[in-house]
Amino acid sequence: MSEHIVPVSLYIGIFVALLCLTALTTGVAYIDLGAFNTVAALAIAVVKMLLVVLFFMHVKYSGRLIQVFILAGALFLAILITLTLADELTRHWSPTPTGWGMFVPFLSRLF
Amino acid sequence: MSTATIDVPEVPTGSRVNYLNAQYGVKSWLFTTDHKRIALLYLVSITLMFFIGGFFAVLMRLHLIEPQGALVQPETYNKLFTMHGVIMVFFFLVPSIPATLGNFLVPLMIGARDLAFPRLNLISWYIYVVGACFTLYAVISGGVDTGWTFYTPYSSSFSHTSVIPTAVGVFITGFSSILTGLNFVVTIHKMRAPGMTWFRLPLFIWAIYATSIIFILGTPVIAITLFLLALERLLHIGIFDPAIGGDPILFQHLFWFYSHPAVYIMILPGMGVMSELVTCFSRKRIFGYSFVAFSSLSIAIISFLVWGHHMFVTGQSIYAGLIFSVLSFLVAIPSAVKVFNWTATLYKGSISYDAPMLYALGFIGLFTMGGLTGLFLASLATDVHLNGTYFIVAHFHYIMVGGAVMAYLGGIHFWWPKITGRLYPDGWARFAALVIFVGFNLTFFPQFMLGYLGMPRRYAVYPAEFQVFNVMSSAGASILGIGYLIPLIYLTWSMRYGPAAGPNPWGAKGLEWTTPSPPPTENFEEIPVVTEDAYDYAESTVNRG
């Protein structure tokens, strides 16, 4: 539980980095990357989140137990997203039933 | 209740000053940081909410005596079941055992003087009260009619009732849960007495620890979900409404990601209470300590993987449904481990039928029924028939009322002498336990049959052929209501007039029974050193007194 002393210069450095990444997000928004628009925005957001968690929230200097709890939070967020996508991405796999009409071509061949 | 003083020979003279009489006055309660006093603040608040929520249930059951409805307009009926659900789930069941018994017992059981963050503990109660006030305001300002699940797009686009105040109330109260969970996790990790290793902890602590993990990991998601709901309702941002680019099933995913684990928030602490009751009143060690301990943790983890079983028929992909069905069956394993281990603990035990034990035995039977009917609902095909019927209503009331509330009452009766230093009339307590058991089954067993026969839930009217079962259910509800009032009366009576309890009236094991009743403010004269395993009933005979 010992307090880790972090130099102020590091905090300022992280703050500047966060500002730069915010500017980058804004800049990227003006470039059309197609399917990668969201990917790019999320990737920058994750980097910013890591900087805040590791340095501002002192997780980099904390004990193992705290790091395990932080990772558990990330793991459960991953579960939320994965299982929700398991629904979202497979919803259109099954053909939509169109009533008895779907049997008409099949039946008309028989008779 | 602060005026209950203990001045009887059973209490050692040195410990007459206890947490109840150390200070007097309203301020000494409202600004206390003593975990025991905060537990009592919670106890009073959730009891009030329980009876408000119960009042709505009584009105509902009275209404359903006649097929065309006997009491209220259909719109009012919709509000009754919504407010019953919201109040009972978020303001009674979720905080019930953790915030009262958990707050009182966690430091006492692990041999600590208080929780790790006493002021955080107090603020969590204030947050709870503020949240409850918002929700009660919603009740007074016309009520809300979305059902406790707030399903979109009805809640976001169509309902003209007080959705936002209710959601704000639930949102705020969530922070109270998070702070309570955080406090417990840190306390259990950092403040155990010397010799109190993880595998010497009472199983109640393991259960509270598992519950705290769900509090911390799950509650933020419901807060975000309700926030998004409010955003869409107020600013028409397309999140859940398909007309503006949203996805209504996304709401259900986010909602149930918290609200299914929330079911385990309700039942896991009850399971912890059960392990204490079954061992004490059968005078035996728990059968398979580590299995029971780890089953709590595995229930907490698996509970986050099963939420889609609420959505089999609401438009979720069938493939996701398959996965969720299989995962849901997995929860049955640790739950069954617990039930079998309690039963094995009873085997060849020296069983006594005191009031807390009656609740515990009731729990085993009712929880088993509630759990097994859950398997019907986890199966994709039977769920198509049973979903949205009274079968569901009966199933989750067997878990939440037959399980969680029975365990809560069992726990309150077990630790009441420790909390107040007074004994309650045992005959009345046993009688009330029986009344509750009978009333509960008469209320909810007919609902299984109603649901199987196809009566949908949440309807203000029903076909005449269902009337017999509905009248049985309403009759049971009135018995159940009286069953809940009896303990309210004799427990309140006992605070002033009950005979004084010794430090250990049940002859139970555990650190909380080694300190006087009621405990002194600092819990222990000296921090105890633990040298034996939990539930060490076999080696020594503990005298009651």
Side-chain angles (χ1 to χ4, degrees):
Chain A
M1 294 297 278
S2 60
E3 291 294 313
H4 185 88
I5 308 295
V6 183
V8 177
S9 57
L10 183 65
Y11 282 142
I12 293 170
I14 300 289
F15 179 64
V16 171
L18 288 173
L19 285 181
C20 292
L21 286 167
T22 307
L24 186 62
T25 312
T26 316
V28 167
Y30 286 101
I31 308 165
D32 189 11
L33 299 172
F36 288 95
N37 278 332
T38 313
V39 177
L42 280 179
I44 298 170
V46 167
V47 173
K48 284 163 75 176
M49 181 271 290
L50 283 176
L51 287 176
V52 171
V53 169
L54 288 176
F55 295 98
F56 283 175
M57 294 171 74
H58 283 214
V59 171
K60 189 175 187 302
Y61 317 109
S62 301
R64 276 288 162 81
L65 187 62
I66 289 179
Q67 293 179 346
V68 165
F69 266 79
I70 299 280
L71 282 177
L75 175 72
F76 279 78
L77 180 64
I79 291 173
L80 170 65
I81 293 169
T82 309
L83 284 176
T84 303
L85 285 179
D87 165 34
E88 186 72 29
L89 299 179
T90 64
R91 214 179 276 171
H92 307 293
W93 284 8
S94 310
T96 312
T98 53
W100 290 103
M102 64 192 283
F103 293 108
V104 170
F106 175 68
L107 292 172
S108 60
R109 237 180 295 157
L110 285 178
F111 300 106
Chain B
M1 69 185 65
S2 60
T3 54
T5 52
I6 306 300
D7 49 358
V8 282
E10 282 95 324
V11 183
T13 39
S15 45
R16 281 195 191 163
V17 175
N18 59 57
Y19 80 100
L20 290 171
N21 65 11
Q23 282 179 302
Y24 291 102
V26 176
K27 265 189 176 174
S28 76
W29 284 89
L30 292 183
F31 296 110
T32 183
T33 50
D34 182 343
H35 67 102
K36 301 181 286 298
R37 285 190 163 210
I38 296 168
L40 288 186
L41 291 176
Y42 264 116
L43 181 66
V44 172
S45 334
I46 69 164
T47 305
L48 179 69
M49 294 308 269
F50 177 75
F51 281 99
I52 294 174
F55 173 69
F56 292 128
V58 167
L59 291 184
M60 252 189 292
R61 284 314 324 169
L62 280 177
H63 175 79
L64 291 175
I65 283 176
E66 287 188 17
Q68 288 311 308
L71 204 61
V72 294
Q73 296 297 313
E75 294 78 14
T76 313
Y77 181 82
N78 294 346
K79 293 177 182 174
L80 287 180
F81 70 71
T82 301
M83 292 182 299
H84 168 70
V86 168
I87 289 176
M88 285 303 202
V89 169
F90 296 110
F91 296 93
F92 173 71
L93 282 163
V94 166
S96 61
I97 295 179
T100 57
L101 292 173
N103 246 332
F104 195 91
L105 290 168
V106 166
L108 281 167
M109 281 183 160
I110 66 172
R113 297 215 184 273
D114 206 319
L115 288 171
F117 307 116
R119 273 180 288 188
L120 213 55
N121 197 16
L122 181 65
I123 195 80
S124 86
W125 178 72
Y126 278 103
I127 292 172
Y128 169 87
V129 171
V130 172
C133 286
F134 266 96
T135 302
L136 290 179
Y137 163 76
V139 170
I140 296 165
S141 70
V144 60
D145 67 349
T146 58
W148 79 278
T149 48
F150 302 109
Y151 270 13
T152 54
Y154 182 70
S155 61
S156 59
S157 307
F158 299 104
S159 175
H160 295 297
T161 53
S162 308
V163 178
I164 301 267
T166 315
V168 169
V170 173
F171 179 91
I172 293 173
T173 305
F175 287 92
S176 148
S177 301
I178 296 171
L179 295 183
T180 303
L182 187 71
N183 222 336
F184 287 157
V185 166
V186 176
T187 307
I188 294 169
H189 269 283
K190 292 289 179 189
M191 297 177 66
R192 283 171 284 129
M196 181 58 94
T197 59
W198 280 93
F199 290 95
R200 282 180 181 165
L201 285 172
L203 288 164
F204 179 76
I205 299 291
W206 278 93
I208 287 287
Y209 184 83
T211 310
S212 303
I213 290 178
I214 307 180
F215 272 146
I216 297 171
L217 292 174
T219 316
V221 179
I222 188 80
I224 294 162
T225 311
L226 293 175
F227 183 65
L228 292 175
L229 173 67
L231 278 185
E232 177 164 305
R233 206 175 151 84
L234 293 173
L235 306 175
H236 304 290
I237 297 170
I239 299 159
F240 305 123
D241 183 359
I244 43 179
D247 181 346
I249 298 176
L250 177 65
F251 177 85
Q252 298 181 24
H253 278 296
L254 293 173
F255 179 83
W256 288 114
F257 181 81
Y258 164 77
S259 295
H260 191 78
V263 174
Y264 297 92
I265 289 178
M266 301 169 205
I267 198 69
L268 268 171
M271 291 168 158
V273 170
M274 280 293 297
S275 299
E276 306 296 317
L277 298 184
V278 167
T279 48
C280 174
F281 293 103
S282 56
R283 305 274 133 202
K284 276 186 70 187
R285 271 171 197 270
I286 191 89
F287 181 87
Y289 175 96
S290 53
F291 277 86
V292 181
F294 282 117
S295 64
S296 289
L297 290 185
S298 56
I299 286 175
I301 292 166
I302 299 173
S303 74
F304 280 98
L305 308 175
V306 302
W307 77 83
H309 66 220
H310 295 268
M311 301 159 55
F312 287 158
V313 297
T314 59
Q316 178 186 243
S317 149
I318 186 73
Y319 304 99
L322 283 171
I323 295 169
F324 280 121
S325 175
V326 171
L327 290 169
S328 300
F329 274 94
L330 288 183
V331 182
I333 298 170
S335 308
V337 164
K338 283 184 183 288
V339 171
F340 285 129
N341 283 25
W342 294 323
T343 317
T345 307
L346 293 173
Y347 178 66
K348 287 194 174 174
S350 166
I351 298 173
S352 53
Y353 296 97
D354 296 278
M357 186 59 163
L358 294 183
Y359 285 107
L361 294 174
F363 177 103
I364 294 182
L366 300 178
F367 173 74
T368 305
M369 282 182 68
L372 289 179
T373 48
L375 295 182
F376 294 33
L377 301 167
S379 313
L380 286 166
T382 46
D383 186 66
V384 173
H385 175 62
L386 297 171
N387 200 302
T389 70
Y390 264 85
F391 193 90
I392 299 259
V393 178
H395 155 70
F396 71 71
H397 279 89
Y398 264 76
I399 298 286
M400 293 184 188
V401 184
V405 178
M406 291 293 267
Y408 169 72
L409 287 173
I412 290 286
H413 281 81
F414 185 55
W415 283 290
W416 190 256
K418 181 56 61 184
I419 294 172
T420 63
R422 301 282 179 158
L423 296 172
Y424 49 80
D426 191 51
W428 278 105
R430 291 187 213 199
F431 174 67
L434 287 177
V435 170
I436 289 171
F437 184 81
V438 171
F440 172 81
N441 280 295
L442 188 57
T443 309
F444 292 106
F445 197 84
Q447 296 188 3
F448 275 126
M449 294 189 265
L450 280 172
Y452 191 78
L453 294 172
M455 177 168 161
R457 64 191 287 207
R458 294 180 169 173
Y459 274 62
V461 294
Y462 55 86
E465 72 245 39
F466 294 138
Q467 190 174 11
V468 175
F469 287 130
N470 271 297
V471 169
M472 284 168 75
S473 184
S474 296
S478 52
I479 297 174
L480 188 59
I482 291 169
Y484 288 138
L485 284 173
I486 301 172
L488 184 71
I489 295 166
Y490 66 73
L491 288 178
T492 313
W493 175 88
S494 76
M495 283 195 287
R496 186 171 277 275
Y497 303 107
N504 191 1
W506 309 112
K509 285 287 188 175
L511 290 181
E512 77 270 30
W513 301 107
T514 61
T515 189
S517 307
T521 304
E522 66 278 14
N523 289 348
F524 300 96
E525 309 262 309
E526 281 176 38
I527 289 295
V529 176
V530 182
T531 53
E532 58 182 31
D533 288 344
Y535 316 117
D536 205 2
Y537 285 104
E539 277 68 18
S540 61
T541 317
V542 188
N543 290 321
R544 293 183 170 208

